[in-house]
Amino acid sequence: MSLDLVLRGGMVALPWGLERTDVGVSDGRIVSIGTVTEPAAREVDCRHLHVLPGLIDTQVHFREPGLEHKEDLATGTAGAALGGVTAIFEMPNTNPNTDTAERLADKVRRGREKAHVDFAFFVGATTGNADTLGRLERLPGCAGVKIFMGSSTGTLLVAEDDAIEAVLRNGHRRVAVHCEDEKRLIERRSLAAVGEPKTHPVWRDDVTAIRATERLLALAHRTGRPVHVLHVTTEEEAARLATEKRVATMEVTPQHLLLSGPECYERLGTRAQMNPPIREKRHTDALWRAVRAGVVDVIGSDHAPHTNEEKDRVYPASPSGLPGVQTTVPLMLDAVHRGLMPLMRLVDLLAHGPQRIYGLSRKGRIATGWDADFTLVDLAAERTIEASWIASRCGWTPFDGTRVTGWPVRTIVRGQDAMIDGALQKIAAEPVRFYGTRDEEAA
Ligand code: DOR
């Protein structure tokens, strides 16, 4: 078989560990792992690089349709490609919400037209669409169902146990959940002090998150439905979820690992404001322990862009959310450099973990037959993250000025270069395939 592409001589992150070898690609798939002697149409010298499976961001908000002044699928996925991310799963709180088959199909169409990396979309659960979700979750390009148990950006909300149970009883795939207890959010609203973003984690306190996660776990047991707790923020939830692996997986975000209060609120003001909030060091330390103990399944950025003008509003009129899709890989490579976790743990959190918990049928592993998605990284590169590098329409990052060691230098999606040395390339993007979705319609 003639090869389209060979990645030559890199340190390759195979599912069973790091090995210096060649990887051969044909027709968008990995066809050989091991020394390649024949020439290929394209060769990439990887001798000074690590070849990672394409890294996947399983939680982003790209705002299209309806909120394109913050972001759209082109700018959001440009940030992904520049940041070494080969596929993204996008959240349903757009305008309109992604809560019907037509709206999902519309996003898939838009993704094919303009995305710079492969994509999948969550459908939003509402109090009115539970009985349709078992069908929706099997549609091409669907990452699964998302529940907001507490109000955040947008109008999606399923707050009551019986409504959540109805959602969990319809369908089979893992359901991704934003765990904040709506009743407690309403009761404590007055604790958000005008002009004081540091009161954000006082209003939306640790009990608000823990209570919702406990309720969700009880409902997951009652219904037998697997759930995924998004952006876990507390020591207590991390400890509890370690005992619940049969029913629940968990995500942490780079910002909850790398920022903590009160310092981040003093330095960044509303640019540290997100839901659930960034909390004090006790929680940050516990999240790192959970990463190192293997309890955390995935890192997702929760990329949630809002414009500078919106963020300049006086708290709490300022919207919650931080951009992150472009900075996750550099920040986590730097964490590897600082000895906070080994490189293979990063690969587990951003490729093997997404593959395992969401049932990706072709992505997330470097193995023969799988999609030729790669993130090529230079572990020795020293760079500074700057707002001017950010492709997101929001144009800012809470990590502006952060010096890192380790940088993604090439992003490859099914054999196509999406980014080379910081330069964006145009590719033909496709919906991600999952076990249990009707992939043939996505082909
Ligand atoms: O801070 C947040 N922003 N948390 C969410 O749950 C939603 C997100 C957004 O879409 O802005």
PDB file of all heavy atoms in Angstrom, residues 269-299:
ATOM      1  N   GLY A 269     -10.152  39.616  38.410  1.00  0.00           N
ATOM      2  CA  GLY A 269     -11.518  40.144  38.548  1.00  0.00           C
ATOM      3  C   GLY A 269     -12.528  39.219  37.876  1.00  0.00           C
ATOM      4  O   GLY A 269     -12.509  37.999  38.069  1.00  0.00           O
ATOM      5  N   THR A 270     -13.402  39.790  37.028  1.00  0.00           N
ATOM      6  CA  THR A 270     -14.452  38.985  36.386  1.00  0.00           C
ATOM      7  C   THR A 270     -13.863  38.010  35.361  1.00  0.00           C
ATOM      8  O   THR A 270     -14.567  37.103  34.910  1.00  0.00           O
ATOM      9  CB  THR A 270     -15.463  39.879  35.654  1.00  0.00           C
ATOM     10  OG1 THR A 270     -14.756  40.638  34.660  1.00  0.00           O
ATOM     11  CG2 THR A 270     -16.177  40.813  36.613  1.00  0.00           C
ATOM     12  N   ARG A 271     -12.602  38.193  34.985  1.00  0.00           N
ATOM     13  CA  ARG A 271     -11.982  37.261  34.043  1.00  0.00           C
ATOM     14  C   ARG A 271     -11.583  35.946  34.723  1.00  0.00           C
ATOM     15  O   ARG A 271     -11.007  35.069  34.087  1.00  0.00           O
ATOM     16  CB  ARG A 271     -10.821  37.931  33.311  1.00  0.00           C
ATOM     17  CG  ARG A 271     -11.349  38.894  32.227  1.00  0.00           C
ATOM     18  CD  ARG A 271     -10.292  39.812  31.673  1.00  0.00           C
ATOM     19  NE  ARG A 271     -10.877  40.737  30.693  1.00  0.00           N
ATOM     20  CZ  ARG A 271     -11.608  41.814  30.987  1.00  0.00           C
ATOM     21  NH1 ARG A 271     -11.888  42.100  32.245  1.00  0.00           N
ATOM     22  NH2 ARG A 271     -12.088  42.586  30.029  1.00  0.00           N
ATOM     23  N   ALA A 272     -11.891  35.831  36.015  1.00  0.00           N
ATOM     24  CA  ALA A 272     -11.776  34.529  36.692  1.00  0.00           C
ATOM     25  C   ALA A 272     -13.161  33.986  37.053  1.00  0.00           C
ATOM     26  O   ALA A 272     -13.272  32.947  37.699  1.00  0.00           O
ATOM     27  CB  ALA A 272     -10.932  34.659  37.954  1.00  0.00           C
ATOM     28  N   GLN A 273     -14.206  34.692  36.635  1.00  0.00           N
ATOM     29  CA  GLN A 273     -15.585  34.322  37.005  1.00  0.00           C
ATOM     30  C   GLN A 273     -16.128  33.257  36.071  1.00  0.00           C
ATOM     31  O   GLN A 273     -16.255  33.489  34.869  1.00  0.00           O
ATOM     32  CB  GLN A 273     -16.471  35.570  36.947  1.00  0.00           C
ATOM     33  CG  GLN A 273     -17.942  35.318  37.197  1.00  0.00           C
ATOM     34  CD  GLN A 273     -18.789  36.496  36.712  1.00  0.00           C
ATOM     35  OE1 GLN A 273     -18.303  37.634  36.588  1.00  0.00           O
ATOM     36  NE2 GLN A 273     -20.051  36.219  36.429  1.00  0.00           N
ATOM     37  N   MET A 274     -16.424  32.091  36.618  1.00  0.00           N
ATOM     38  CA  MET A 274     -17.025  31.016  35.827  1.00  0.00           C
ATOM     39  C   MET A 274     -17.891  30.149  36.727  1.00  0.00           C
ATOM     40  O   MET A 274     -17.825  30.253  37.949  1.00  0.00           O
ATOM     41  CB  MET A 274     -15.946  30.163  35.145  1.00  0.00           C
ATOM     42  CG  MET A 274     -15.100  29.336  36.094  1.00  0.00           C
ATOM     43  SD  MET A 274     -14.027  28.173  35.218  1.00  0.00           S
ATOM     44  CE  MET A 274     -15.210  27.039  34.477  1.00  0.00           C
ATOM     45  N   ASN A 275     -18.681  29.279  36.088  1.00  0.00           N
ATOM     46  CA  ASN A 275     -19.568  28.368  36.826  1.00  0.00           C
ATOM     47  C   ASN A 275     -19.245  26.919  36.470  1.00  0.00           C
ATOM     48  O   ASN A 275     -19.247  26.602  35.287  1.00  0.00           O
ATOM     49  CB  ASN A 275     -21.029  28.624  36.446  1.00  0.00           C
ATOM     50  CG  ASN A 275     -21.445  30.060  36.676  1.00  0.00           C
ATOM     51  OD1 ASN A 275     -20.937  30.724  37.554  1.00  0.00           O
ATOM     52  ND2 ASN A 275     -22.375  30.524  35.858  1.00  0.00           N
ATOM     53  N   PRO A 276     -19.065  26.052  37.467  1.00  0.00           N
ATOM     54  CA  PRO A 276     -18.915  26.371  38.879  1.00  0.00           C
ATOM     55  C   PRO A 276     -17.610  27.137  39.106  1.00  0.00           C
ATOM     56  O   PRO A 276     -16.686  27.018  38.312  1.00  0.00           O
ATOM     57  CB  PRO A 276     -18.906  24.997  39.557  1.00  0.00           C
ATOM     58  CG  PRO A 276     -18.565  24.016  38.494  1.00  0.00           C
ATOM     59  CD  PRO A 276     -18.987  24.592  37.198  1.00  0.00           C
ATOM     60  N   PRO A 277     -17.551  27.899  40.205  1.00  0.00           N
ATOM     61  CA  PRO A 277     -16.450  28.846  40.376  1.00  0.00           C
ATOM     62  C   PRO A 277     -15.095  28.204  40.657  1.00  0.00           C
ATOM     63  O   PRO A 277     -15.004  27.055  41.099  1.00  0.00           O
ATOM     64  CB  PRO A 277     -16.879  29.653  41.606  1.00  0.00           C
ATOM     65  CG  PRO A 277     -18.297  29.368  41.822  1.00  0.00           C
ATOM     66  CD  PRO A 277     -18.557  27.996  41.276  1.00  0.00           C
ATOM     67  N   ILE A 278     -14.072  28.996  40.423  1.00  0.00           N
ATOM     68  CA  ILE A 278     -12.724  28.665  40.884  1.00  0.00           C
ATOM     69  C   ILE A 278     -12.717  28.905  42.397  1.00  0.00           C
ATOM     70  O   ILE A 278     -13.189  29.939  42.864  1.00  0.00           O
ATOM     71  CB  ILE A 278     -11.689  29.526  40.145  1.00  0.00           C
ATOM     72  CG1 ILE A 278     -11.732  29.179  38.645  1.00  0.00           C
ATOM     73  CG2 ILE A 278     -10.299  29.330  40.733  1.00  0.00           C
ATOM     74  CD1 ILE A 278     -11.002  30.144  37.745  1.00  0.00           C
ATOM     75  N   ARG A 279     -12.229  27.919  43.145  1.00  0.00           N
ATOM     76  CA  ARG A 279     -12.325  27.972  44.612  1.00  0.00           C
ATOM     77  C   ARG A 279     -10.940  28.087  45.245  1.00  0.00           C
ATOM     78  O   ARG A 279      -9.932  28.179  44.539  1.00  0.00           O
ATOM     79  CB  ARG A 279     -13.030  26.708  45.122  1.00  0.00           C
ATOM     80  CG  ARG A 279     -14.374  26.475  44.456  1.00  0.00           C
ATOM     81  CD  ARG A 279     -15.149  25.372  45.128  1.00  0.00           C
ATOM     82  NE  ARG A 279     -16.303  24.997  44.309  1.00  0.00           N
ATOM     83  CZ  ARG A 279     -17.452  25.673  44.257  1.00  0.00           C
ATOM     84  NH1 ARG A 279     -17.617  26.742  44.997  1.00  0.00           N
ATOM     85  NH2 ARG A 279     -18.440  25.268  43.473  1.00  0.00           N
ATOM     86  N   GLU A 280     -10.929  27.988  46.589  1.00  0.00           N
ATOM     87  CA  GLU A 280      -9.658  28.193  47.285  1.00  0.00           C
ATOM     88  C   GLU A 280      -8.734  26.985  47.126  1.00  0.00           C
ATOM     89  O   GLU A 280      -9.132  25.923  46.678  1.00  0.00           O
ATOM     90  CB  GLU A 280      -9.879  28.551  48.768  1.00  0.00           C
ATOM     91  CG  GLU A 280     -10.489  27.459  49.613  1.00  0.00           C
ATOM     92  CD  GLU A 280     -12.015  27.509  49.660  1.00  0.00           C
ATOM     93  OE1 GLU A 280     -12.643  27.871  48.638  1.00  0.00           O
ATOM     94  OE2 GLU A 280     -12.579  27.152  50.707  1.00  0.00           O
ATOM     95  N   LYS A 281      -7.482  27.195  47.574  1.00  0.00           N
ATOM     96  CA  LYS A 281      -6.378  26.260  47.349  1.00  0.00           C
ATOM     97  C   LYS A 281      -6.672  24.832  47.837  1.00  0.00           C
ATOM     98  O   LYS A 281      -6.212  23.871  47.230  1.00  0.00           O
ATOM     99  CB  LYS A 281      -5.144  26.838  48.058  1.00  0.00           C
ATOM    100  CG  LYS A 281      -3.835  26.193  47.753  1.00  0.00           C
ATOM    101  CD  LYS A 281      -3.136  26.868  46.582  1.00  0.00           C
ATOM    102  CE  LYS A 281      -1.749  26.345  46.256  1.00  0.00           C
ATOM    103  NZ  LYS A 281      -1.463  24.985  46.574  1.00  0.00           N
ATOM    104  N   ARG A 282      -7.422  24.697  48.922  1.00  0.00           N
ATOM    105  CA  ARG A 282      -7.761  23.355  49.429  1.00  0.00           C
ATOM    106  C   ARG A 282      -8.352  22.502  48.317  1.00  0.00           C
ATOM    107  O   ARG A 282      -8.017  21.331  48.160  1.00  0.00           O
ATOM    108  CB  ARG A 282      -8.777  23.492  50.576  1.00  0.00           C
ATOM    109  CG  ARG A 282      -9.536  22.228  50.913  1.00  0.00           C
ATOM    110  CD  ARG A 282     -10.353  22.391  52.173  1.00  0.00           C
ATOM    111  NE  ARG A 282     -11.727  22.832  51.958  1.00  0.00           N
ATOM    112  CZ  ARG A 282     -12.760  22.029  51.638  1.00  0.00           C
ATOM    113  NH1 ARG A 282     -12.548  20.730  51.454  1.00  0.00           N
ATOM    114  NH2 ARG A 282     -13.973  22.510  51.491  1.00  0.00           N
ATOM    115  N   HIS A 283      -9.219  23.097  47.510  1.00  0.00           N
ATOM    116  CA  HIS A 283      -9.875  22.355  46.431  1.00  0.00           C
ATOM    117  C   HIS A 283      -8.916  22.115  45.267  1.00  0.00           C
ATOM    118  O   HIS A 283      -8.881  21.031  44.688  1.00  0.00           O
ATOM    119  CB  HIS A 283     -11.125  23.101  45.962  1.00  0.00           C
ATOM    120  CG  HIS A 283     -12.181  23.185  47.016  1.00  0.00           C
ATOM    121  ND1 HIS A 283     -12.828  22.071  47.507  1.00  0.00           N
ATOM    122  CD2 HIS A 283     -12.691  24.241  47.695  1.00  0.00           C
ATOM    123  CE1 HIS A 283     -13.697  22.440  48.429  1.00  0.00           C
ATOM    124  NE2 HIS A 283     -13.632  23.755  48.563  1.00  0.00           N
ATOM    125  N   THR A 284      -8.149  23.149  44.911  1.00  0.00           N
ATOM    126  CA  THR A 284      -7.179  23.001  43.815  1.00  0.00           C
ATOM    127  C   THR A 284      -6.235  21.831  44.119  1.00  0.00           C
ATOM    128  O   THR A 284      -5.975  20.983  43.253  1.00  0.00           O
ATOM    129  CB  THR A 284      -6.344  24.294  43.671  1.00  0.00           C
ATOM    130  OG1 THR A 284      -7.222  25.402  43.771  1.00  0.00           O
ATOM    131  CG2 THR A 284      -5.600  24.330  42.363  1.00  0.00           C
ATOM    132  N   ASP A 285      -5.709  21.791  45.334  1.00  0.00           N
ATOM    133  CA  ASP A 285      -4.779  20.723  45.716  1.00  0.00           C
ATOM    134  C   ASP A 285      -5.460  19.359  45.616  1.00  0.00           C
ATOM    135  O   ASP A 285      -4.860  18.382  45.166  1.00  0.00           O
ATOM    136  CB  ASP A 285      -4.273  20.932  47.153  1.00  0.00           C
ATOM    137  CG  ASP A 285      -3.368  22.150  47.248  1.00  0.00           C
ATOM    138  OD1 ASP A 285      -2.909  22.643  46.190  1.00  0.00           O
ATOM    139  OD2 ASP A 285      -3.117  22.621  48.380  1.00  0.00           O
ATOM    140  N   ALA A 286      -6.723  19.302  46.029  1.00  0.00           N
ATOM    141  CA  ALA A 286      -7.455  18.021  45.985  1.00  0.00           C
ATOM    142  C   ALA A 286      -7.677  17.575  44.538  1.00  0.00           C
ATOM    143  O   ALA A 286      -7.614  16.380  44.231  1.00  0.00           O
ATOM    144  CB  ALA A 286      -8.800  18.159  46.699  1.00  0.00           C
ATOM    145  N   LEU A 287      -7.928  18.533  43.643  1.00  0.00           N
ATOM    146  CA  LEU A 287      -8.125  18.173  42.234  1.00  0.00           C
ATOM    147  C   LEU A 287      -6.832  17.597  41.654  1.00  0.00           C
ATOM    148  O   LEU A 287      -6.857  16.624  40.892  1.00  0.00           O
ATOM    149  CB  LEU A 287      -8.614  19.378  41.426  1.00  0.00           C
ATOM    150  CG  LEU A 287      -9.996  19.922  41.815  1.00  0.00           C
ATOM    151  CD1 LEU A 287     -10.347  21.138  40.963  1.00  0.00           C
ATOM    152  CD2 LEU A 287     -11.089  18.857  41.697  1.00  0.00           C
ATOM    153  N   TRP A 288      -5.696  18.181  42.014  1.00  0.00           N
ATOM    154  CA  TRP A 288      -4.417  17.614  41.548  1.00  0.00           C
ATOM    155  C   TRP A 288      -4.207  16.209  42.109  1.00  0.00           C
ATOM    156  O   TRP A 288      -3.735  15.312  41.402  1.00  0.00           O
ATOM    157  CB  TRP A 288      -3.240  18.517  41.935  1.00  0.00           C
ATOM    158  CG  TRP A 288      -2.975  19.579  40.910  1.00  0.00           C
ATOM    159  CD1 TRP A 288      -3.101  20.932  41.062  1.00  0.00           C
ATOM    160  CD2 TRP A 288      -2.526  19.372  39.556  1.00  0.00           C
ATOM    161  NE1 TRP A 288      -2.775  21.573  39.889  1.00  0.00           N
ATOM    162  CE2 TRP A 288      -2.412  20.651  38.954  1.00  0.00           C
ATOM    163  CE3 TRP A 288      -2.217  18.244  38.793  1.00  0.00           C
ATOM    164  CZ2 TRP A 288      -1.997  20.816  37.626  1.00  0.00           C
ATOM    165  CZ3 TRP A 288      -1.811  18.406  37.477  1.00  0.00           C
ATOM    166  CH2 TRP A 288      -1.703  19.677  36.904  1.00  0.00           C
ATOM    167  N   ARG A 289      -4.582  16.016  43.370  1.00  0.00           N
ATOM    168  CA  ARG A 289      -4.448  14.666  43.941  1.00  0.00           C
ATOM    169  C   ARG A 289      -5.316  13.683  43.152  1.00  0.00           C
ATOM    170  O   ARG A 289      -4.906  12.554  42.872  1.00  0.00           O
ATOM    171  CB  ARG A 289      -4.861  14.656  45.423  1.00  0.00           C
ATOM    172  CG  ARG A 289      -3.810  15.239  46.360  1.00  0.00           C
ATOM    173  CD  ARG A 289      -4.031  14.788  47.813  1.00  0.00           C
ATOM    174  NE  ARG A 289      -5.327  15.180  48.362  1.00  0.00           N
ATOM    175  CZ  ARG A 289      -5.620  16.391  48.854  1.00  0.00           C
ATOM    176  NH1 ARG A 289      -4.691  17.332  48.892  1.00  0.00           N
ATOM    177  NH2 ARG A 289      -6.824  16.661  49.339  1.00  0.00           N
ATOM    178  N   ALA A 290      -6.512  14.131  42.771  1.00  0.00           N
ATOM    179  CA  ALA A 290      -7.419  13.258  42.005  1.00  0.00           C
ATOM    180  C   ALA A 290      -6.847  12.970  40.612  1.00  0.00           C
ATOM    181  O   ALA A 290      -7.005  11.871  40.080  1.00  0.00           O
ATOM    182  CB  ALA A 290      -8.802  13.897  41.897  1.00  0.00           C
ATOM    183  N   VAL A 291      -6.176  13.950  40.027  1.00  0.00           N
ATOM    184  CA  VAL A 291      -5.513  13.717  38.730  1.00  0.00           C
ATOM    185  C   VAL A 291      -4.458  12.634  38.902  1.00  0.00           C
ATOM    186  O   VAL A 291      -4.402  11.655  38.148  1.00  0.00           O
ATOM    187  CB  VAL A 291      -4.862  15.016  38.191  1.00  0.00           C
ATOM    188  CG1 VAL A 291      -3.888  14.720  37.053  1.00  0.00           C
ATOM    189  CG2 VAL A 291      -5.941  15.993  37.729  1.00  0.00           C
ATOM    190  N   ARG A 292      -3.631  12.803  39.932  1.00  0.00           N
ATOM    191  CA  ARG A 292      -2.505  11.866  40.107  1.00  0.00           C
ATOM    192  C   ARG A 292      -2.966  10.483  40.546  1.00  0.00           C
ATOM    193  O   ARG A 292      -2.317   9.482  40.250  1.00  0.00           O
ATOM    194  CB  ARG A 292      -1.492  12.446  41.098  1.00  0.00           C
ATOM    195  CG  ARG A 292      -0.615  13.525  40.458  1.00  0.00           C
ATOM    196  CD  ARG A 292       0.551  13.878  41.350  1.00  0.00           C
ATOM    197  NE  ARG A 292       0.097  14.694  42.459  1.00  0.00           N
ATOM    198  CZ  ARG A 292       0.089  16.032  42.452  1.00  0.00           C
ATOM    199  NH1 ARG A 292       0.535  16.692  41.401  1.00  0.00           N
ATOM    200  NH2 ARG A 292      -0.348  16.696  43.485  1.00  0.00           N
ATOM    201  N   ALA A 293      -4.105  10.421  41.237  1.00  0.00           N
ATOM    202  CA  ALA A 293      -4.612   9.133  41.712  1.00  0.00           C
ATOM    203  C   ALA A 293      -5.392   8.387  40.635  1.00  0.00           C
ATOM    204  O   ALA A 293      -5.861   7.276  40.862  1.00  0.00           O
ATOM    205  CB  ALA A 293      -5.495   9.358  42.942  1.00  0.00           C
ATOM    206  N   GLY A 294      -5.583   9.022  39.473  1.00  0.00           N
ATOM    207  CA  GLY A 294      -6.300   8.340  38.396  1.00  0.00           C
ATOM    208  C   GLY A 294      -7.813   8.468  38.482  1.00  0.00           C
ATOM    209  O   GLY A 294      -8.532   7.822  37.731  1.00  0.00           O
ATOM    210  N   VAL A 295      -8.295   9.284  39.415  1.00  0.00           N
ATOM    211  CA  VAL A 295      -9.748   9.424  39.581  1.00  0.00           C
ATOM    212  C   VAL A 295     -10.350  10.270  38.454  1.00  0.00           C
ATOM    213  O   VAL A 295     -11.456  10.006  37.981  1.00  0.00           O
ATOM    214  CB  VAL A 295     -10.078  10.079  40.950  1.00  0.00           C
ATOM    215  CG1 VAL A 295     -11.577  10.242  41.119  1.00  0.00           C
ATOM    216  CG2 VAL A 295      -9.494   9.251  42.075  1.00  0.00           C
ATOM    217  N   VAL A 296      -9.613  11.281  38.022  1.00  0.00           N
ATOM    218  CA  VAL A 296     -10.109  12.158  36.963  1.00  0.00           C
ATOM    219  C   VAL A 296     -10.018  11.425  35.630  1.00  0.00           C
ATOM    220  O   VAL A 296      -8.990  10.830  35.307  1.00  0.00           O
ATOM    221  CB  VAL A 296      -9.283  13.468  36.913  1.00  0.00           C
ATOM    222  CG1 VAL A 296      -9.781  14.378  35.797  1.00  0.00           C
ATOM    223  CG2 VAL A 296      -9.337  14.179  38.256  1.00  0.00           C
ATOM    224  N   ASP A 297     -11.109  11.467  34.867  1.00  0.00           N
ATOM    225  CA  ASP A 297     -11.150  10.750  33.587  1.00  0.00           C
ATOM    226  C   ASP A 297     -10.686  11.597  32.420  1.00  0.00           C
ATOM    227  O   ASP A 297     -10.045  11.094  31.510  1.00  0.00           O
ATOM    228  CB  ASP A 297     -12.581  10.259  33.324  1.00  0.00           C
ATOM    229  CG  ASP A 297     -13.003   9.227  34.341  1.00  0.00           C
ATOM    230  OD1 ASP A 297     -12.638   8.054  34.172  1.00  0.00           O
ATOM    231  OD2 ASP A 297     -13.655   9.602  35.337  1.00  0.00           O
ATOM    232  N   VAL A 298     -11.094  12.866  32.411  1.00  0.00           N
ATOM    233  CA  VAL A 298     -10.721  13.749  31.304  1.00  0.00           C
ATOM    234  C   VAL A 298     -10.453  15.160  31.819  1.00  0.00           C
ATOM    235  O   VAL A 298     -10.991  15.584  32.847  1.00  0.00           O
ATOM    236  CB  VAL A 298     -11.820  13.844  30.202  1.00  0.00           C
ATOM    237  CG1 VAL A 298     -12.064  12.500  29.531  1.00  0.00           C
ATOM    238  CG2 VAL A 298     -13.109  14.430  30.736  1.00  0.00           C
ATOM    239  N   ILE A 299      -9.628  15.863  31.051  1.00  0.00           N
ATOM    240  CA  ILE A 299      -9.522  17.313  31.208  1.00  0.00           C
ATOM    241  C   ILE A 299     -10.276  17.926  30.042  1.00  0.00           C
ATOM    242  O   ILE A 299     -10.064  17.550  28.880  1.00  0.00           O
ATOM    243  CB  ILE A 299      -8.044  17.762  31.216  1.00  0.00           C
ATOM    244  CG1 ILE A 299      -7.416  17.425  32.568  1.00  0.00           C
ATOM    245  CG2 ILE A 299      -7.927  19.263  30.922  1.00  0.00           C
ATOM    246  CD1 ILE A 299      -5.966  17.825  32.704  1.00  0.00           C
TER     247      ILE A 299
END
